[in-house]
């Protein structure tokens, strides 16, 4: 009987740990988190989820848990406008922002005119200067 209780407890703990690994922003997941699920079922145009809307009138997109950018206002970092972005950590499916790849090794996305963002921060990027014609996925 004691062995059954131990096995049950081990299964419960394992389930809790796995749930915690799934709750992360797609760009900062630990190995074995959300990204590993897509190694078996790659993201396609049909199963991709756009990152949460944020900023004034919801016209921006979350680029990290504390970054909200939009082509009409630029980027907010660690402000009230970014509070909605923290919710990405609790959504089990990863999100993606469309746009022009930029930054070191093209690891970022042009988030606003002249601004390249990753989940960790934003930098000025010449490649993103003529952004308004190439951006898609932003509400107007």
């Amino acid at each position: 009987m004691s062995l059954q209780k131990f096995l049950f407890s081990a299964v419960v703990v394992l389930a809790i740990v796995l749930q915690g690994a799934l709750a992360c922003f797609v760009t900062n997941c630990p190995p074995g988190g959300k990204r590993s699920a897509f190694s078996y079922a790659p993201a396609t145009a049909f199963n991709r989820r756009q990152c949460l809307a944020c900023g004034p009138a919801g016209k921006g997109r979350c680029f990290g848990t504390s970054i909200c950018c939009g082509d009409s206002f630029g980027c907010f970092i660690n402000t009230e406008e970014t509070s909605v972005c923290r919710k990405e950590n609790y959504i089990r499916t990863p999100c993606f922002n469309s746009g022009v790849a930029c930054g070191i090794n093209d690891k970022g996305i042009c988030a606003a005119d002249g601004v390249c963002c990753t989940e960790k921060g934003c930098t000025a990027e010449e490649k993103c200067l003529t952004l308004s014609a190439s951006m898609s996925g932003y509400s107007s």
Side-chain angles (χ1 to χ4, degrees):
M1 198 77 138
S2 175
L3 180 61
Q4 287 178 334
K5 287 182 181 179
F6 173 77
L7 289 175
F8 178 75
S9 297
V11 168
V12 169
V13 168
L14 181 62
I16 291 170
V17 169
L18 286 175
Q19 289 295 88
L22 292 174
C24 57
F25 198 73
V26 69
T27 53
N28 67 351
C29 289
K34 285 183 186 176
R35 288 182 184 161
S36 65
F38 288 97
S39 63
Y40 301 107
T44 65
F46 299 108
N47 66 357
R48 290 172 62 131
R49 182 179 67 81
Q50 193 171 37
C51 293
L52 291 174
C54 58
K59 291 187 176 185
R61 291 285 167 201
C62 295
F63 279 82
T65 56
S66 62
I67 302 170
C68 174
C69 297
D71 57 346
S72 64
F73 58 84
C75 293
F76 292 104
I77 300 175
N78 289 323
T79 65
E80 183 63 32
E81 290 83 5
T82 66
S83 62
V84 69
C85 298
R86 287 190 285 278
K87 293 178 183 177
E88 284 290 354
N89 282 331
Y90 303 105
I91 301 173
R92 299 177 112 204
T93 56
C95 72
F96 299 91
N97 285 310
S98 58
V100 177
C102 59
I104 299 172
N105 297 324
D106 283 341
K107 297 286 184 183
I109 297 288
C110 290
D113 195 31
V115 180
C116 178
C117 291
T118 67
E119 76 281 355
K120 298 191 184 294
C122 299
T123 58
E125 176 76 44
E126 203 170 304
K127 189 176 185 179
C128 301
L129 281 175
T130 56
L131 190 58
S132 55
S134 63
M135 291 206 49
S136 61
Y138 285 89
S139 53
S140 36

